[in-house]
Amino acid sequence: MTSAHTLLSDVFGFDAFRRGQEEIVQAVAQGHNTLAIMPTGGGKSLCFQLPALMRGGVTVVISPLIALMRDQVRGLREAGVAAGALTSGNTEAETEAVFAALEAGELKLLYMAPERLASGGTVQMLRRIGVGLIAVDEAHCVSQWGHDFRPDYLRIGELRRALDVPLAAFTATADAETREEIVARLFDGVAPETFLRGFDRPNIHLAFAPKDSPRRQILGFAAARKGQAGIVYCGTRAKTESLAAALAAEGHSACAYHGGMEADARRAVEERFATEDGLIVVATVAFGMGVDKPDIRWVAHADLPKSIEAYYQEIGRAGRDGAPAETLTLYGPDDIRLRRSQIDESPAPPERRAADHARLNALLGLAEALTCRRQTLLAYFGEEADPCGHCDLCDAPPDRFDGTEAVRKALSAMLRTGEYFGTGHLIDILTGNETDKVRQRGHDGLPTFGVGRDMNRAQWQAVFRQMMGRDLVRPDPERHGALRMMSAARPILRGEDGIELRRDTIAAATVRPAVKAQVSDEDAPLFSALKAKRFALAKAAGVPAYVIFNDRTLIEMAERRPDTLDAMARISGVGATKLDRYGQAFLEVVTGAAADRPHPVRRRLAGREAGALFDRLAEVQRDLSRGTDGTGKYLSCPNATLRHIAERRPSSVEELARLPGMGPAKAERFGPAFLEVLAGG
């Protein structure tokens, strides 16, 4: 079995694992049933791709989205790994090519959607091709109580039993309840080797802001980050189109994406986003699942997401390269009412609706947090953390006040009007605003009429929004959105408990400057030239630019400026196959001149100790080609022979003589000098 470190370096071009990867790779490679919870962008795909190369047989990868599968297959092929996908998006020729490779025993990884498991012939086909491992990506989709349930994921446990092979399940968004269901459904309740690698993405700056002219807020946020790739998530299709048009009018490269678009139009947006630097996609949540673009620098939500899991997954599309990234989530009372009504009006059983309300409560608790957002977010997933110093609330702690009296006044106004009215009417009562509606219902005679004149309308709106965010009150869909009191509010109303609220600071989250430039001013021109070369190569190959090299690799090239293929091979992300395909082209950009192209045998040794040995052996051979006195018969060794010597490092002349391309005469002439080189002399 080839070692994980050798494959990591030679195939994927990385010198070291990320935190937590190596133990997972070893467990999967050794055939242990495995469950790994890793943060988005933490490198979970490598944790089944590497074991697939270390183990015998084919690794079947169950993945929920065509875009994700295509992206990973393209990336693997660029790295020289035999991979294929069977999806409904394949052409007939693509499907035939995958089956031919399987029958010939040439494929190491086979991607497929869970829906394919419903086909009666799938299991027989997988038995025939010799599957050695099942990998399940986005394993939380198996949970009927989760946020992305896919019924066909329930067939995976049956597949594992039928093939009797190890299974490795991966996800980034699974709370304790979801993890229990994964174990029950995929592993028959027998606990697999479990790795909880945390949910923290420390490179992502978290920020929320109450809505106050949300279009202006989004435009301001994007303006500070002009030229950087970003995603704006919206709650409706119409909003994606209007906001994309507004961004374009401000000079941004922006386009809309939603499920109502024609398939060709959606694919065109996906293609642009994959290949075009600095594009902003304004989208519904239909966009982004499976997008592995590593250099998305920011994600903004123009509307509140559905749940804390959805929020975590959507912001996780930023900064997958580990470089700094930013988020901004806007929210308001209308968002809360919409999300509550969607849950209440769903056909789900009561216990499911209660669970969905709890998930929404967790997100609202994050939105209305008074202390570090990262602490609040990680606490939901069962992790403890110190204040991060890298979120909007750590940047500028909120102005708090004792909101007990204000909340009691609001609750009293609700109860005295029979819980039949919404926020607007209740604020009119509290501030003593004698509207026709207030007078007609006699609410100007209530004891609570005018008791809240000490705060203005905007301040009361913030109080009611925070009350909804704390789940003290909820809009009642059966009463046209009128607010009703929840049990958590009773202790406050009775004077048994208090509550602290915060004053809104809308401007703070929107004027935050963009993250610093990716490279220094000195390296910026070279970085731009490298990106231009990448774009040209990607366009010619018909693949996304980041499949060639991601931004972090190009940044390292710009900063370290390799001047030989050996130096290029030491750049992170430059594996052997990519070095062979693209190394020369990028080297010429860095050096500014056409570089000598080494022999293919030497190129395969680039960046390795054997490469330096090869060069010294070749030099010795040239010096001794006609013997020590320069008058002997000309002798030379093939480059392949020099490579064998550099890699195998024989310790005697006899061993040298037995290598292909040597023989007694060459061993006699070159042997002592070659051995001296190998010994470091």
Side-chain angles (χ1 to χ4, degrees):
M1 181 187 293
T2 307
S3 78
H5 280 280
T6 298
L7 291 168
L8 182 70
S9 174
D10 291 354
V11 177
F12 297 98
F14 300 121
D15 292 333
F17 286 102
R18 296 186 191 178
R19 185 178 68 86
Q21 281 183 320
E22 186 171 8
E23 297 85 354
I24 299 170
V25 166
Q26 294 297 346
V28 177
Q30 290 165 13
H32 301 165
N33 285 331
T34 305
L35 171 60
I37 317 295
M38 304 175 71
T40 301
K44 58 185 169 70
S45 59
L46 191 72
C47 291
F48 57 79
Q49 292 170 351
L50 256 182
L53 302 181
M54 298 167 70
R55 294 175 55 83
V58 178
T59 291
V60 173
V61 183
I62 309 296
S63 184
L65 291 152
I66 292 173
L68 178 64
M69 290 187 274
R70 283 186 173 276
D71 204 56
Q72 292 200 7
V73 167
R74 282 186 299 206
L76 286 165
R77 287 177 175 170
E78 283 296 318
V81 177
L86 292 174
T87 77
S88 57
N90 281 18
T91 64
E92 188 174 334
E94 287 173 334
T95 298
E96 288 178 359
V98 171
F99 277 121
L102 286 170
E103 295 298 336
E106 296 170 353
L107 225 56
K108 287 300 295 178
L109 289 107
L110 173 65
Y111 285 74
M112 62 172 58
E115 286 74 16
R116 188 169 283 268
L117 300 180
S119 167
T122 298
V123 175
Q124 288 85 343
M125 181 270 289
L126 295 177
R127 277 202 186 103
R128 189 175 68 255
I129 64 173
V131 171
L133 172 70
I134 301 170
V136 182
D137 204 4
E138 309 294 351
H140 64 273
C141 293
V142 78
S143 173
Q144 295 186 72
W145 299 100
H147 62 292
D148 276 326
F149 175 57
R150 294 277 287 265
D152 286 285
Y153 264 71
L154 300 177
R155 302 178 187 272
I156 298 174
E158 181 182 339
L159 176 67
R160 180 185 64 81
R161 291 189 294 272
L163 297 180
D164 192 25
V165 296
L167 185 145
F170 299 85
T171 182
T173 51
D175 56 18
E177 183 182 32
T178 302
R179 294 198 294 270
E180 289 176 9
E181 194 165 358
I182 290 172
V183 172
R185 296 190 179 279
L186 297 186
F187 301 100
D188 295 334
V190 179
E193 192 163 345
T194 301
F195 299 88
L196 187 56
R197 288 297 177 240
F199 295 87
D200 192 14
R201 295 285 305 284
N203 62 311
I204 297 181
H205 183 275
L206 306 178
F208 281 71
K211 286 185 177 179
D212 178 45
S213 301
R215 175 173 293 194
R216 174 186 59 78
Q217 289 171 286
I218 293 293
L219 290 176
F221 191 76
R225 291 147 187 85
K226 197 161 189 177
Q228 296 181 357
I231 302 175
V232 182
Y233 284 110
C234 299
T236 65
R237 296 173 179 180
K239 187 180 285 189
T240 67
E241 294 175 351
S242 64
L243 191 49
L247 285 163
E250 294 286 324
H252 297 277
S253 179
C255 56
Y257 184 104
H258 56 74
M261 296 167 62
E262 294 294 328
D264 287 346
R266 289 202 307 273
R267 278 194 292 272
V269 173
E270 292 168 357
E271 179 68 19
R272 282 188 66 192
F273 193 62
T275 58
E276 191 174 315
D277 284 329
L279 182 69
I280 300 171
V281 174
V282 186
T284 58
V285 293
F287 180 77
M289 281 290 290
V291 172
D292 199 30
K293 184 177 172 68
D295 57 345
I296 299 169
R297 295 271 63 85
W298 57 271
V299 169
H301 284 89
D303 299 298
L304 189 72
K306 290 196 305 182
S307 67
I308 198 163
E309 287 93 347
Y311 166 79
Y312 178 79
Q313 190 172 64
E314 287 153 17
I315 65 166
R317 287 158 197 158
R320 295 171 75 100
D321 56 3
E326 296 174 286
T327 67
L328 172 65
T329 300
L330 302 181
Y331 67 103
D334 289 342
D335 292 302
I336 301 173
R337 290 190 193 94
L338 173 65
R339 295 305 186 196
R340 292 287 188 209
S341 64
Q342 287 175 334
I343 296 169
D344 287 329
E345 295 169 9
S346 77
E351 61 270 22
R352 173 62 184 270
R353 293 200 299 272
D356 288 342
H357 275 301
R359 286 187 163 91
L360 178 58
N361 286 346
L363 178 61
L364 295 172
L366 179 63
E368 299 290 5
L370 299 175
T371 57
C372 173
R373 292 205 195 275
R374 187 165 270 101
Q375 280 185 311
T376 304
L377 176 63
L378 295 178
Y380 174 78
F381 291 110
E383 291 186 31
E384 295 183 3
D386 293 328
C388 69
H390 190 55
C391 69
D392 58 338
L393 297 181
C394 286
D395 294 341
D399 182 11
R400 311 184 196 185
F401 69 99
D402 184 348
T404 306
E405 184 179 354
V407 169
R408 290 179 68 187
K409 289 177 181 178
L411 292 171
S412 178
M414 287 171 52
L415 294 173
R416 290 180 184 275
T417 54
E419 298 179 284
Y420 268 96
F421 297 92
T423 303
H425 185 70
L426 293 170
I427 292 176
D428 285 335
I429 294 171
L430 289 164
T431 56
N433 185 18
E434 294 187 43
T435 65
D436 290 343
K437 186 176 178 181
V438 168
R439 285 193 300 269
Q440 288 168 5
R441 288 164 174 76
H443 292 163
D444 52 342
L446 292 174
T448 48
F449 184 76
V451 298
R453 286 193 178 100
D454 57 323
M455 295 196 301
N456 62 34
R457 192 171 193 86
Q459 290 170 321
W460 274 113
Q461 287 172 334
V463 169
F464 275 102
R465 191 201 67 244
Q466 291 181 73
M467 289 170 66
M468 285 192 277
R470 303 282 190 93
D471 206 22
L472 303 180
V473 298
R474 284 187 190 175
D476 187 344
E478 295 182 1
R479 300 185 184 188
H480 307 289
L483 295 180
R484 57 186 173 88
M485 187 171 71
M486 305 304 293
S487 59
R490 297 191 187 282
I492 299 173
L493 183 65
R494 293 194 294 259
E496 299 168 359
D497 202 356
I499 186 170
E500 193 174 39
L501 301 178
R502 62 184 177 86
R503 292 185 174 89
D504 288 343
T505 51
I506 292 168
T510 57
V511 299
R512 172 181 162 81
V515 295
K516 68 175 185 177
Q518 292 175 283
V519 295
S520 68
D521 290 344
E522 180 185 355
D523 296 328
L526 177 55
F527 181 52
S528 296
L530 291 167
K531 289 175 76 173
K533 172 59 71 175
R534 179 181 66 178
F535 177 79
L537 291 170
K539 188 173 183 181
V543 299
Y546 55 83
V547 169
I548 305 291
F549 290 126
N550 64 34
D551 273 8
R552 291 192 76 179
T553 297
L554 298 190
I555 289 169
E556 192 174 337
M557 288 183 195
E559 292 175 343
R560 293 176 56 179
R561 300 179 182 245
D563 56 1
T564 65
L565 279 182
D566 282 332
M568 182 68 76
R570 289 189 283 271
I571 299 292
S572 180
V574 183
T577 299
K578 289 189 178 183
L579 181 72
D580 190 49
R581 288 179 183 169
Y582 309 120
Q584 197 79 15
F586 284 90
L587 185 62
E588 290 175 2
V589 174
V590 174
T591 61
D596 292 335
R597 189 170 181 83
H599 189 279
V601 169
R602 177 61 179 88
R603 287 205 305 274
R604 286 194 287 272
L605 299 177
R608 296 163 52 189
E609 183 184 357
L613 285 176
F614 179 98
D615 293 339
R616 291 201 292 276
L617 292 168
E619 185 179 352
V620 166
Q621 176 188 251
R622 284 193 298 271
D623 291 344
L624 296 177
S625 60
R626 291 195 176 274
T628 55
D629 60 2
T631 61
K633 178 184 176 183
Y634 179 82
L635 293 176
S636 69
C637 302
N639 282 313
T641 300
L642 296 182
R643 177 189 173 190
H644 285 311
I645 297 170
E647 290 179 328
R648 299 181 186 181
R649 303 184 71 144
S651 58
S652 67
V653 173
E654 290 74 25
E655 278 188 73
L656 274 169
R658 289 194 292 270
L659 290 176
M662 283 296 288
K666 293 178 185 177
E668 181 180 355
R669 178 175 294 182
F670 303 123
F674 282 179
L675 293 176
E676 188 176 347
V677 168
L678 296 176

